[in-house]
Amino acid sequence: ALEQRAREQPLALVVEDIHWADRATRDMLSYLIRGLGTPQFQARVVVLLTYRSDELTRTSPVRSWLSELLRLPRVSRLDLGPLDQVAVIAQLASLGTFDRRQAREIYRRSEGNPFYVEELAAIWSEGDLHVPEAVRNLADVRVGQLEPGVRDTVRLLAAVGRPATFELLELLSGDRTDKLLGALHSAVDSAILTVDRETSAYRFRHALLAEAVLDQFLPGERAGVHGIIAEVLAQQPALSTGPGELGYHQGAAGDLRAALVAYVAAAEEAERVYAFGQAGEYLQRVLELWALVPDAADVTGRSRGDVLVGAAQNLGGAGDFDRAVAYATAALAEPEIAGDPERGAQLWQRIARYHLQEGNGPPAFAAYEAAAKLLDSAPAARGRSRLAADHALALALWDRNGEAVTQAE
């Protein structure tokens, strides 16, 4: 039938998900592909087989079958890597409306997998950020089939939350070297974990799979595991990615005071290397913990208003102007800022600049006017000339030249 149809027009035979192919299907495809390459069967047919590489365990018969096919003439393999961030944003545009932060988060969690992008976009639209059901079901089946010791190792790596070296896993597990190596071999052979050859670190084949495994922890179980991780990282800082990671595990273990200190240190470290977006995220964690730590101001050596202003400055430096405006506006209500017209005016002026950088003229001009009103309420306050010049320049940029001249005068 294929030969007959191929004489009329070129044909494409597409067989998807061959990682699930049974022996009979593999034999049929082998016969067909070999036949297409013989001189007596000059059919214009292309056979396209698709499979997910992460579904092929090291012992899978499909893996060896594919290797045999690749030895045949005219058979080639095309590896499809993950989508980059630009491609994910383009895919999301066809699925709904997502702002820059949402798109960045979906890209991070999906790791560029188009199917996971679609799944995450669907649950995000519903206001839920849980792991997609397809991934949770996969984790339940895969991890449930592991031996208890192997399962414990996989769960430990999920709690770490990032790729981990053998040295770190050995310290965390407390297992003998041979036992841990055996567990890791089994997890890699089961296509749950993989090894990053550049860093020699063990990681999940996909970040969402790690999230799904983490969701399997019972209430109260995770805190103990995170406590162990935090203790080891505090004792062995060379094995940690920095104070932000330490703060995450301390917070998850319930040591909120220590987590608060760690996140402040992480923000300061990020600021030193001009990682403004990361610094802003760490300060957001600080604000989330603030109400839960009674002596937060004493512990951190700063006020809540200082933290809000710092978060606004860093997020503004990263181009996240919407959240910068939100944090700066919240800071205006803090007592030490509300009672200081000069500092309040400076903050209103910064809010105006954030609006301008977003292309929002009207709220920017309103912010400038609020700043001027505060300075007028305090005759001794400084900054009027700089505020007027800044306001005049903004008006000129919006072609409101008459008002700009008046403001400049």
Side-chain angles (χ1 to χ4, degrees), residues 353 356 365 368 385-401 403-405 407-408:
R353 290 172 182 165
L356 288 174
F365 302 136
Y368 279 125
S385 298
R386 180 176 297 177
L387 173 63
D390 204 11
H391 192 178
L393 178 59
L395 288 166
L397 290 173
W398 252 258
D399 291 329
R400 293 167 61 170
N401 297 321
E403 294 173 78
V405 171
Q407 189 64 234

mmCIF file with all atom_site columns, all heavy atoms in Angstrom, residues 353 356 365 368 385-401 403-405 407-408:
data_model
loop_
_atom_site.group_PDB
_atom_site.id
_atom_site.type_symbol
_atom_site.label_atom_id
_atom_site.label_alt_id
_atom_site.label_comp_id
_atom_site.label_asym_id
_atom_site.label_entity_id
_atom_site.label_seq_id
_atom_site.pdbx_PDB_ins_code
_atom_site.Cartn_x
_atom_site.Cartn_y
_atom_site.Cartn_z
_atom_site.occupancy
_atom_site.B_iso_or_equiv
_atom_site.pdbx_formal_charge
_atom_site.auth_seq_id
_atom_site.auth_comp_id
_atom_site.auth_asym_id
_atom_site.auth_atom_id
_atom_site.pdbx_PDB_model_num
ATOM 1   N N   . ARG A 1 353 ? 10.146 58.410 38.427 1.00 0.00 ? 353 ARG A N   1
ATOM 2   C CA  . ARG A 1 353 ? 11.095 57.893 37.435 1.00 0.00 ? 353 ARG A CA  1
ATOM 3   C C   . ARG A 1 353 ? 10.744 56.482 36.999 1.00 0.00 ? 353 ARG A C   1
ATOM 4   O O   . ARG A 1 353 ? 10.896 56.130 35.827 1.00 0.00 ? 353 ARG A O   1
ATOM 5   C CB  . ARG A 1 353 ? 12.514 57.941 38.020 1.00 0.00 ? 353 ARG A CB  1
ATOM 6   C CG  . ARG A 1 353 ? 13.059 59.352 38.167 1.00 0.00 ? 353 ARG A CG  1
ATOM 7   C CD  . ARG A 1 353 ? 14.365 59.356 38.930 1.00 0.00 ? 353 ARG A CD  1
ATOM 8   N NE  . ARG A 1 353 ? 14.878 60.705 39.115 1.00 0.00 ? 353 ARG A NE  1
ATOM 9   C CZ  . ARG A 1 353 ? 15.833 61.020 39.979 1.00 0.00 ? 353 ARG A CZ  1
ATOM 10  N NH1 . ARG A 1 353 ? 16.371 60.081 40.747 1.00 0.00 ? 353 ARG A NH1 1
ATOM 11  N NH2 . ARG A 1 353 ? 16.263 62.267 40.086 1.00 0.00 ? 353 ARG A NH2 1
ATOM 12  N N   . LEU A 1 356 ? 8.021  56.805 34.516 1.00 0.00 ? 356 LEU A N   1
ATOM 13  C CA  . LEU A 1 356 ? 8.541  57.319 33.247 1.00 0.00 ? 356 LEU A CA  1
ATOM 14  C C   . LEU A 1 356 ? 9.236  56.222 32.455 1.00 0.00 ? 356 LEU A C   1
ATOM 15  O O   . LEU A 1 356 ? 9.091  56.143 31.218 1.00 0.00 ? 356 LEU A O   1
ATOM 16  C CB  . LEU A 1 356 ? 9.513  58.480 33.504 1.00 0.00 ? 356 LEU A CB  1
ATOM 17  C CG  . LEU A 1 356 ? 8.892  59.802 33.971 1.00 0.00 ? 356 LEU A CG  1
ATOM 18  C CD1 . LEU A 1 356 ? 9.995  60.792 34.332 1.00 0.00 ? 356 LEU A CD1 1
ATOM 19  C CD2 . LEU A 1 356 ? 7.982  60.392 32.899 1.00 0.00 ? 356 LEU A CD2 1
ATOM 20  N N   . PHE A 1 365 ? 3.789  62.352 36.568 1.00 0.00 ? 365 PHE A N   1
ATOM 21  C CA  . PHE A 1 365 ? 3.617  63.773 36.885 1.00 0.00 ? 365 PHE A CA  1
ATOM 22  C C   . PHE A 1 365 ? 2.896  63.940 38.229 1.00 0.00 ? 365 PHE A C   1
ATOM 23  O O   . PHE A 1 365 ? 3.198  64.862 39.004 1.00 0.00 ? 365 PHE A O   1
ATOM 24  C CB  . PHE A 1 365 ? 2.847  64.475 35.771 1.00 0.00 ? 365 PHE A CB  1
ATOM 25  C CG  . PHE A 1 365 ? 3.528  64.355 34.434 1.00 0.00 ? 365 PHE A CG  1
ATOM 26  C CD1 . PHE A 1 365 ? 2.806  64.056 33.290 1.00 0.00 ? 365 PHE A CD1 1
ATOM 27  C CD2 . PHE A 1 365 ? 4.901  64.528 34.325 1.00 0.00 ? 365 PHE A CD2 1
ATOM 28  C CE1 . PHE A 1 365 ? 3.439  63.926 32.067 1.00 0.00 ? 365 PHE A CE1 1
ATOM 29  C CE2 . PHE A 1 365 ? 5.541  64.401 33.102 1.00 0.00 ? 365 PHE A CE2 1
ATOM 30  C CZ  . PHE A 1 365 ? 4.808  64.101 31.965 1.00 0.00 ? 365 PHE A CZ  1
ATOM 31  N N   . TYR A 1 368 ? 5.490  63.526 40.876 1.00 0.00 ? 368 TYR A N   1
ATOM 32  C CA  . TYR A 1 368 ? 6.306  64.732 41.021 1.00 0.00 ? 368 TYR A CA  1
ATOM 33  C C   . TYR A 1 368 ? 5.561  65.791 41.849 1.00 0.00 ? 368 TYR A C   1
ATOM 34  O O   . TYR A 1 368 ? 6.143  66.472 42.706 1.00 0.00 ? 368 TYR A O   1
ATOM 35  C CB  . TYR A 1 368 ? 6.655  65.312 39.646 1.00 0.00 ? 368 TYR A CB  1
ATOM 36  C CG  . TYR A 1 368 ? 7.811  64.620 38.962 1.00 0.00 ? 368 TYR A CG  1
ATOM 37  C CD1 . TYR A 1 368 ? 7.661  64.089 37.685 1.00 0.00 ? 368 TYR A CD1 1
ATOM 38  C CD2 . TYR A 1 368 ? 9.054  64.513 39.581 1.00 0.00 ? 368 TYR A CD2 1
ATOM 39  C CE1 . TYR A 1 368 ? 8.722  63.462 37.040 1.00 0.00 ? 368 TYR A CE1 1
ATOM 40  C CE2 . TYR A 1 368 ? 10.119 63.892 38.946 1.00 0.00 ? 368 TYR A CE2 1
ATOM 41  C CZ  . TYR A 1 368 ? 9.947  63.366 37.678 1.00 0.00 ? 368 TYR A CZ  1
ATOM 42  O OH  . TYR A 1 368 ? 11.002 62.750 37.046 1.00 0.00 ? 368 TYR A OH  1
ATOM 43  N N   . SER A 1 385 ? 15.283 72.314 43.981 1.00 0.00 ? 385 SER A N   1
ATOM 44  C CA  . SER A 1 385 ? 15.843 72.617 42.660 1.00 0.00 ? 385 SER A CA  1
ATOM 45  C C   . SER A 1 385 ? 15.995 71.345 41.827 1.00 0.00 ? 385 SER A C   1
ATOM 46  O O   . SER A 1 385 ? 15.643 71.316 40.640 1.00 0.00 ? 385 SER A O   1
ATOM 47  C CB  . SER A 1 385 ? 17.204 73.310 42.801 1.00 0.00 ? 385 SER A CB  1
ATOM 48  O OG  . SER A 1 385 ? 17.061 74.538 43.473 1.00 0.00 ? 385 SER A OG  1
ATOM 49  N N   . ARG A 1 386 ? 16.505 70.308 42.450 1.00 0.00 ? 386 ARG A N   1
ATOM 50  C CA  . ARG A 1 386 ? 16.684 69.051 41.722 1.00 0.00 ? 386 ARG A CA  1
ATOM 51  C C   . ARG A 1 386 ? 15.344 68.471 41.306 1.00 0.00 ? 386 ARG A C   1
ATOM 52  O O   . ARG A 1 386 ? 15.190 67.972 40.184 1.00 0.00 ? 386 ARG A O   1
ATOM 53  C CB  . ARG A 1 386 ? 17.443 68.060 42.604 1.00 0.00 ? 386 ARG A CB  1
ATOM 54  C CG  . ARG A 1 386 ? 17.690 66.717 41.934 1.00 0.00 ? 386 ARG A CG  1
ATOM 55  C CD  . ARG A 1 386 ? 18.541 65.812 42.817 1.00 0.00 ? 386 ARG A CD  1
ATOM 56  N NE  . ARG A 1 386 ? 19.857 66.396 43.033 1.00 0.00 ? 386 ARG A NE  1
ATOM 57  C CZ  . ARG A 1 386 ? 20.777 65.832 43.823 1.00 0.00 ? 386 ARG A CZ  1
ATOM 58  N NH1 . ARG A 1 386 ? 20.498 64.715 44.467 1.00 0.00 ? 386 ARG A NH1 1
ATOM 59  N NH2 . ARG A 1 386 ? 21.953 66.411 43.986 1.00 0.00 ? 386 ARG A NH2 1
ATOM 60  N N   . LEU A 1 387 ? 14.351 68.554 42.188 1.00 0.00 ? 387 LEU A N   1
ATOM 61  C CA  . LEU A 1 387 ? 13.026 68.053 41.865 1.00 0.00 ? 387 LEU A CA  1
ATOM 62  C C   . LEU A 1 387 ? 12.421 68.835 40.707 1.00 0.00 ? 387 LEU A C   1
ATOM 63  O O   . LEU A 1 387 ? 11.866 68.250 39.766 1.00 0.00 ? 387 LEU A O   1
ATOM 64  C CB  . LEU A 1 387 ? 12.118 68.135 43.091 1.00 0.00 ? 387 LEU A CB  1
ATOM 65  C CG  . LEU A 1 387 ? 10.638 67.787 42.856 1.00 0.00 ? 387 LEU A CG  1
ATOM 66  C CD1 . LEU A 1 387 ? 10.496 66.340 42.404 1.00 0.00 ? 387 LEU A CD1 1
ATOM 67  C CD2 . LEU A 1 387 ? 9.828  68.036 44.131 1.00 0.00 ? 387 LEU A CD2 1
ATOM 68  N N   . ALA A 1 388 ? 12.534 70.170 40.739 1.00 0.00 ? 388 ALA A N   1
ATOM 69  C CA  . ALA A 1 388 ? 11.968 71.002 39.674 1.00 0.00 ? 388 ALA A CA  1
ATOM 70  C C   . ALA A 1 388 ? 12.628 70.699 38.336 1.00 0.00 ? 388 ALA A C   1
ATOM 71  O O   . ALA A 1 388 ? 11.954 70.614 37.297 1.00 0.00 ? 388 ALA A O   1
ATOM 72  C CB  . ALA A 1 388 ? 12.128 72.481 40.031 1.00 0.00 ? 388 ALA A CB  1
ATOM 73  N N   . ALA A 1 389 ? 13.955 70.528 38.336 1.00 0.00 ? 389 ALA A N   1
ATOM 74  C CA  . ALA A 1 389 ? 14.669 70.225 37.095 1.00 0.00 ? 389 ALA A CA  1
ATOM 75  C C   . ALA A 1 389 ? 14.253 68.876 36.539 1.00 0.00 ? 389 ALA A C   1
ATOM 76  O O   . ALA A 1 389 ? 14.034 68.722 35.321 1.00 0.00 ? 389 ALA A O   1
ATOM 77  C CB  . ALA A 1 389 ? 16.172 70.262 37.345 1.00 0.00 ? 389 ALA A CB  1
ATOM 78  N N   . ASP A 1 390 ? 14.135 67.913 37.422 1.00 0.00 ? 390 ASP A N   1
ATOM 79  C CA  . ASP A 1 390 ? 13.725 66.561 37.005 1.00 0.00 ? 390 ASP A CA  1
ATOM 80  C C   . ASP A 1 390 ? 12.310 66.583 36.431 1.00 0.00 ? 390 ASP A C   1
ATOM 81  O O   . ASP A 1 390 ? 12.024 65.976 35.389 1.00 0.00 ? 390 ASP A O   1
ATOM 82  C CB  . ASP A 1 390 ? 13.791 65.646 38.229 1.00 0.00 ? 390 ASP A CB  1
ATOM 83  C CG  . ASP A 1 390 ? 13.972 64.187 37.843 1.00 0.00 ? 390 ASP A CG  1
ATOM 84  O OD1 . ASP A 1 390 ? 14.253 63.915 36.671 1.00 0.00 ? 390 ASP A OD1 1
ATOM 85  O OD2 . ASP A 1 390 ? 13.839 63.315 38.733 1.00 0.00 ? 390 ASP A OD2 1
ATOM 86  N N   . HIS A 1 391 ? 11.417 67.295 37.117 1.00 0.00 ? 391 HIS A N   1
ATOM 87  C CA  . HIS A 1 391 ? 10.030 67.407 36.676 1.00 0.00 ? 391 HIS A CA  1
ATOM 88  C C   . HIS A 1 391 ? 9.953  68.112 35.322 1.00 0.00 ? 391 HIS A C   1
ATOM 89  O O   . HIS A 1 391 ? 9.223  67.683 34.417 1.00 0.00 ? 391 HIS A O   1
ATOM 90  C CB  . HIS A 1 391 ? 9.226  68.174 37.729 1.00 0.00 ? 391 HIS A CB  1
ATOM 91  C CG  . HIS A 1 391 ? 7.744  68.102 37.537 1.00 0.00 ? 391 HIS A CG  1
ATOM 92  N ND1 . HIS A 1 391 ? 6.846  68.696 38.398 1.00 0.00 ? 391 HIS A ND1 1
ATOM 93  C CD2 . HIS A 1 391 ? 6.976  67.532 36.562 1.00 0.00 ? 391 HIS A CD2 1
ATOM 94  C CE1 . HIS A 1 391 ? 5.621  68.473 37.967 1.00 0.00 ? 391 HIS A CE1 1
ATOM 95  N NE2 . HIS A 1 391 ? 5.671  67.777 36.851 1.00 0.00 ? 391 HIS A NE2 1
ATOM 96  N N   . ALA A 1 392 ? 10.716 69.191 35.157 1.00 0.00 ? 392 ALA A N   1
ATOM 97  C CA  . ALA A 1 392 ? 10.714 69.945 33.901 1.00 0.00 ? 392 ALA A CA  1
ATOM 98  C C   . ALA A 1 392 ? 11.194 69.083 32.749 1.00 0.00 ? 392 ALA A C   1
ATOM 99  O O   . ALA A 1 392 ? 10.623 69.117 31.637 1.00 0.00 ? 392 ALA A O   1
ATOM 100 C CB  . ALA A 1 392 ? 11.601 71.186 34.037 1.00 0.00 ? 392 ALA A CB  1
ATOM 101 N N   . LEU A 1 393 ? 12.251 68.310 32.955 1.00 0.00 ? 393 LEU A N   1
ATOM 102 C CA  . LEU A 1 393 ? 12.767 67.441 31.903 1.00 0.00 ? 393 LEU A CA  1
ATOM 103 C C   . LEU A 1 393 ? 11.728 66.406 31.488 1.00 0.00 ? 393 LEU A C   1
ATOM 104 O O   . LEU A 1 393 ? 11.537 66.142 30.295 1.00 0.00 ? 393 LEU A O   1
ATOM 105 C CB  . LEU A 1 393 ? 14.038 66.748 32.395 1.00 0.00 ? 393 LEU A CB  1
ATOM 106 C CG  . LEU A 1 393 ? 14.695 65.761 31.418 1.00 0.00 ? 393 LEU A CG  1
ATOM 107 C CD1 . LEU A 1 393 ? 15.073 66.463 30.117 1.00 0.00 ? 393 LEU A CD1 1
ATOM 108 C CD2 . LEU A 1 393 ? 15.907 65.110 32.060 1.00 0.00 ? 393 LEU A CD2 1
ATOM 109 N N   . ALA A 1 394 ? 11.018 65.840 32.473 1.00 0.00 ? 394 ALA A N   1
ATOM 110 C CA  . ALA A 1 394 ? 9.990  64.850 32.162 1.00 0.00 ? 394 ALA A CA  1
ATOM 111 C C   . ALA A 1 394 ? 8.858  65.471 31.345 1.00 0.00 ? 394 ALA A C   1
ATOM 112 O O   . ALA A 1 394 ? 8.366  64.874 30.383 1.00 0.00 ? 394 ALA A O   1
ATOM 113 C CB  . ALA A 1 394 ? 9.436  64.262 33.465 1.00 0.00 ? 394 ALA A CB  1
ATOM 114 N N   . LEU A 1 395 ? 8.439  66.664 31.706 1.00 0.00 ? 395 LEU A N   1
ATOM 115 C CA  . LEU A 1 395 ? 7.389  67.346 30.958 1.00 0.00 ? 395 LEU A CA  1
ATOM 116 C C   . LEU A 1 395 ? 7.826  67.621 29.519 1.00 0.00 ? 395 LEU A C   1
ATOM 117 O O   . LEU A 1 395 ? 7.040  67.448 28.569 1.00 0.00 ? 395 LEU A O   1
ATOM 118 C CB  . LEU A 1 395 ? 7.029  68.659 31.649 1.00 0.00 ? 395 LEU A CB  1
ATOM 119 C CG  . LEU A 1 395 ? 6.253  68.522 32.969 1.00 0.00 ? 395 LEU A CG  1
ATOM 120 C CD1 . LEU A 1 395 ? 6.259  69.842 33.727 1.00 0.00 ? 395 LEU A CD1 1
ATOM 121 C CD2 . LEU A 1 395 ? 4.819  68.063 32.695 1.00 0.00 ? 395 LEU A CD2 1
ATOM 122 N N   . ALA A 1 396 ? 9.100  68.011 29.353 1.00 0.00 ? 396 ALA A N   1
ATOM 123 C CA  . ALA A 1 396 ? 9.606  68.286 28.005 1.00 0.00 ? 396 ALA A CA  1
ATOM 124 C C   . ALA A 1 396 ? 9.616  67.016 27.160 1.00 0.00 ? 396 ALA A C   1
ATOM 125 O O   . ALA A 1 396 ? 9.294  67.052 25.958 1.00 0.00 ? 396 ALA A O   1
ATOM 126 C CB  . ALA A 1 396 ? 11.009 68.887 28.094 1.00 0.00 ? 396 ALA A CB  1
ATOM 127 N N   . LEU A 1 397 ? 9.968  65.916 27.778 1.00 0.00 ? 397 LEU A N   1
ATOM 128 C CA  . LEU A 1 397 ? 9.998  64.646 27.045 1.00 0.00 ? 397 LEU A CA  1
ATOM 129 C C   . LEU A 1 397 ? 8.603  64.220 26.593 1.00 0.00 ? 397 LEU A C   1
ATOM 130 O O   . LEU A 1 397 ? 8.460  63.474 25.622 1.00 0.00 ? 397 LEU A O   1
ATOM 131 C CB  . LEU A 1 397 ? 10.608 63.551 27.931 1.00 0.00 ? 397 LEU A CB  1
ATOM 132 C CG  . LEU A 1 397 ? 12.115 63.678 28.221 1.00 0.00 ? 397 LEU A CG  1
ATOM 133 C CD1 . LEU A 1 397 ? 12.551 62.630 29.245 1.00 0.00 ? 397 LEU A CD1 1
ATOM 134 C CD2 . LEU A 1 397 ? 12.917 63.522 26.925 1.00 0.00 ? 397 LEU A CD2 1
ATOM 135 N N   . TRP A 1 398 ? 7.574  64.711 27.284 1.00 0.00 ? 398 TRP A N   1
ATOM 136 C CA  . TRP A 1 398 ? 6.190  64.400 26.911 1.00 0.00 ? 398 TRP A CA  1
ATOM 137 C C   . TRP A 1 398 ? 5.563  65.539 26.078 1.00 0.00 ? 398 TRP A C   1
ATOM 138 O O   . TRP A 1 398 ? 4.359  65.606 25.938 1.00 0.00 ? 398 TRP A O   1
ATOM 139 C CB  . TRP A 1 398 ? 5.357  64.140 28.176 1.00 0.00 ? 398 TRP A CB  1
ATOM 140 C CG  . TRP A 1 398 ? 5.012  62.690 28.342 1.00 0.00 ? 398 TRP A CG  1
ATOM 141 C CD1 . TRP A 1 398 ? 3.830  62.087 28.075 1.00 0.00 ? 398 TRP A CD1 1
ATOM 142 C CD2 . TRP A 1 398 ? 5.886  61.663 28.810 1.00 0.00 ? 398 TRP A CD2 1
ATOM 143 N NE1 . TRP A 1 398 ? 3.891  60.757 28.340 1.00 0.00 ? 398 TRP A NE1 1
ATOM 144 C CE2 . TRP A 1 398 ? 5.159  60.454 28.796 1.00 0.00 ? 398 TRP A CE2 1
ATOM 145 C CE3 . TRP A 1 398 ? 7.221  61.642 29.227 1.00 0.00 ? 398 TRP A CE3 1
ATOM 146 C CZ2 . TRP A 1 398 ? 5.708  59.244 29.191 1.00 0.00 ? 398 TRP A CZ2 1
ATOM 147 C CZ3 . TRP A 1 398 ? 7.766  60.436 29.616 1.00 0.00 ? 398 TRP A CZ3 1
ATOM 148 C CH2 . TRP A 1 398 ? 7.017  59.260 29.600 1.00 0.00 ? 398 TRP A CH2 1
ATOM 149 N N   . ASP A 1 399 ? 6.438  66.390 25.520 1.00 0.00 ? 399 ASP A N   1
ATOM 150 C CA  . ASP A 1 399 ? 5.995  67.496 24.658 1.00 0.00 ? 399 ASP A CA  1
ATOM 151 C C   . ASP A 1 399 ? 5.051  68.455 25.369 1.00 0.00 ? 399 ASP A C   1
ATOM 152 O O   . ASP A 1 399 ? 4.208  69.108 24.734 1.00 0.00 ? 399 ASP A O   1
ATOM 153 C CB  . ASP A 1 399 ? 5.310  66.956 23.382 1.00 0.00 ? 399 ASP A CB  1
ATOM 154 C CG  . ASP A 1 399 ? 6.316  66.277 22.460 1.00 0.00 ? 399 ASP A CG  1
ATOM 155 O OD1 . ASP A 1 399 ? 7.485  66.703 22.451 1.00 0.00 ? 399 ASP A OD1 1
ATOM 156 O OD2 . ASP A 1 399 ? 5.917  65.323 21.770 1.00 0.00 ? 399 ASP A OD2 1
ATOM 157 N N   . ARG A 1 400 ? 5.188  68.577 26.658 1.00 0.00 ? 400 ARG A N   1
ATOM 158 C CA  . ARG A 1 400 ? 4.416  69.573 27.418 1.00 0.00 ? 400 ARG A CA  1
ATOM 159 C C   . ARG A 1 400 ? 5.373  70.729 27.725 1.00 0.00 ? 400 ARG A C   1
ATOM 160 O O   . ARG A 1 400 ? 5.743  70.997 28.859 1.00 0.00 ? 400 ARG A O   1
ATOM 161 C CB  . ARG A 1 400 ? 3.841  68.928 28.680 1.00 0.00 ? 400 ARG A CB  1
ATOM 162 C CG  . ARG A 1 400 ? 2.794  67.867 28.341 1.00 0.00 ? 400 ARG A CG  1
ATOM 163 C CD  . ARG A 1 400 ? 2.399  66.976 29.512 1.00 0.00 ? 400 ARG A CD  1
ATOM 164 N NE  . ARG A 1 400 ? 1.800  67.702 30.615 1.00 0.00 ? 400 ARG A NE  1
ATOM 165 C CZ  . ARG A 1 400 ? 1.205  67.113 31.658 1.00 0.00 ? 400 ARG A CZ  1
ATOM 166 N NH1 . ARG A 1 400 ? 1.123  65.777 31.689 1.00 0.00 ? 400 ARG A NH1 1
ATOM 167 N NH2 . ARG A 1 400 ? 0.708  67.821 32.644 1.00 0.00 ? 400 ARG A NH2 1
ATOM 168 N N   . ASN A 1 401 ? 5.810  71.363 26.626 1.00 0.00 ? 401 ASN A N   1
ATOM 169 C CA  . ASN A 1 401 ? 6.914  72.319 26.709 1.00 0.00 ? 401 ASN A CA  1
ATOM 170 C C   . ASN A 1 401 ? 6.589  73.553 27.547 1.00 0.00 ? 401 ASN A C   1
ATOM 171 O O   . ASN A 1 401 ? 7.451  74.066 28.277 1.00 0.00 ? 401 ASN A O   1
ATOM 172 C CB  . ASN A 1 401 ? 7.347  72.738 25.301 1.00 0.00 ? 401 ASN A CB  1
ATOM 173 C CG  . ASN A 1 401 ? 7.880  71.550 24.505 1.00 0.00 ? 401 ASN A CG  1
ATOM 174 O OD1 . ASN A 1 401 ? 8.567  70.695 25.055 1.00 0.00 ? 401 ASN A OD1 1
ATOM 175 N ND2 . ASN A 1 401 ? 7.548  71.481 23.221 1.00 0.00 ? 401 ASN A ND2 1
ATOM 176 N N   . GLU A 1 403 ? 4.556  73.834 30.126 1.00 0.00 ? 403 GLU A N   1
ATOM 177 C CA  . GLU A 1 403 ? 4.627  73.475 31.537 1.00 0.00 ? 403 GLU A CA  1
ATOM 178 C C   . GLU A 1 403 ? 6.074  73.217 31.954 1.00 0.00 ? 403 GLU A C   1
ATOM 179 O O   . GLU A 1 403 ? 6.461  73.522 33.091 1.00 0.00 ? 403 GLU A O   1
ATOM 180 C CB  . GLU A 1 403 ? 3.796  72.210 31.785 1.00 0.00 ? 403 GLU A CB  1
ATOM 181 C CG  . GLU A 1 403 ? 2.302  72.398 31.575 1.00 0.00 ? 403 GLU A CG  1
ATOM 182 C CD  . GLU A 1 403 ? 1.558  71.062 31.670 1.00 0.00 ? 403 GLU A CD  1
ATOM 183 O OE1 . GLU A 1 403 ? 1.352  70.622 32.808 1.00 0.00 ? 403 GLU A OE1 1
ATOM 184 O OE2 . GLU A 1 403 ? 1.199  70.499 30.621 1.00 0.00 ? 403 GLU A OE2 1
ATOM 185 N N   . ALA A 1 404 ? 6.869  72.667 31.019 1.00 0.00 ? 404 ALA A N   1
ATOM 186 C CA  . ALA A 1 404 ? 8.273  72.396 31.343 1.00 0.00 ? 404 ALA A CA  1
ATOM 187 C C   . ALA A 1 404 ? 9.020  73.687 31.608 1.00 0.00 ? 404 ALA A C   1
ATOM 188 O O   . ALA A 1 404 ? 9.811  73.786 32.559 1.00 0.00 ? 404 ALA A O   1
ATOM 189 C CB  . ALA A 1 404 ? 8.918  71.629 30.193 1.00 0.00 ? 404 ALA A CB  1
ATOM 190 N N   . VAL A 1 405 ? 8.767  74.723 30.794 1.00 0.00 ? 405 VAL A N   1
ATOM 191 C CA  . VAL A 1 405 ? 9.438  76.025 30.988 1.00 0.00 ? 405 VAL A CA  1
ATOM 192 C C   . VAL A 1 405 ? 9.035  76.612 32.319 1.00 0.00 ? 405 VAL A C   1
ATOM 193 O O   . VAL A 1 405 ? 9.876  77.128 33.090 1.00 0.00 ? 405 VAL A O   1
ATOM 194 C CB  . VAL A 1 405 ? 9.105  76.971 29.833 1.00 0.00 ? 405 VAL A CB  1
ATOM 195 C CG1 . VAL A 1 405 ? 9.604  78.388 30.143 1.00 0.00 ? 405 VAL A CG1 1
ATOM 196 C CG2 . VAL A 1 405 ? 9.713  76.458 28.531 1.00 0.00 ? 405 VAL A CG2 1
ATOM 197 N N   . GLN A 1 407 ? 7.994  75.110 34.986 1.00 0.00 ? 407 GLN A N   1
ATOM 198 C CA  . GLN A 1 407 ? 8.575  74.313 36.074 1.00 0.00 ? 407 GLN A CA  1
ATOM 199 C C   . GLN A 1 407 ? 10.060 74.624 36.244 1.00 0.00 ? 407 GLN A C   1
ATOM 200 O O   . GLN A 1 407 ? 10.566 74.735 37.354 1.00 0.00 ? 407 GLN A O   1
ATOM 201 C CB  . GLN A 1 407 ? 8.396  72.809 35.781 1.00 0.00 ? 407 GLN A CB  1
ATOM 202 C CG  . GLN A 1 407 ? 8.761  71.899 36.906 1.00 0.00 ? 407 GLN A CG  1
ATOM 203 C CD  . GLN A 1 407 ? 7.901  72.062 38.117 1.00 0.00 ? 407 GLN A CD  1
ATOM 204 O OE1 . GLN A 1 407 ? 8.389  72.277 39.216 1.00 0.00 ? 407 GLN A OE1 1
ATOM 205 N NE2 . GLN A 1 407 ? 6.576  72.009 37.935 1.00 0.00 ? 407 GLN A NE2 1
ATOM 206 N N   . ALA A 1 408 ? 10.744 74.807 35.120 1.00 0.00 ? 408 ALA A N   1
ATOM 207 C CA  . ALA A 1 408 ? 12.177 75.094 35.163 1.00 0.00 ? 408 ALA A CA  1
ATOM 208 C C   . ALA A 1 408 ? 12.450 76.473 35.754 1.00 0.00 ? 408 ALA A C   1
ATOM 209 O O   . ALA A 1 408 ? 13.486 76.687 36.407 1.00 0.00 ? 408 ALA A O   1
ATOM 210 C CB  . ALA A 1 408 ? 12.782 74.977 33.766 1.00 0.00 ? 408 ALA A CB  1
#
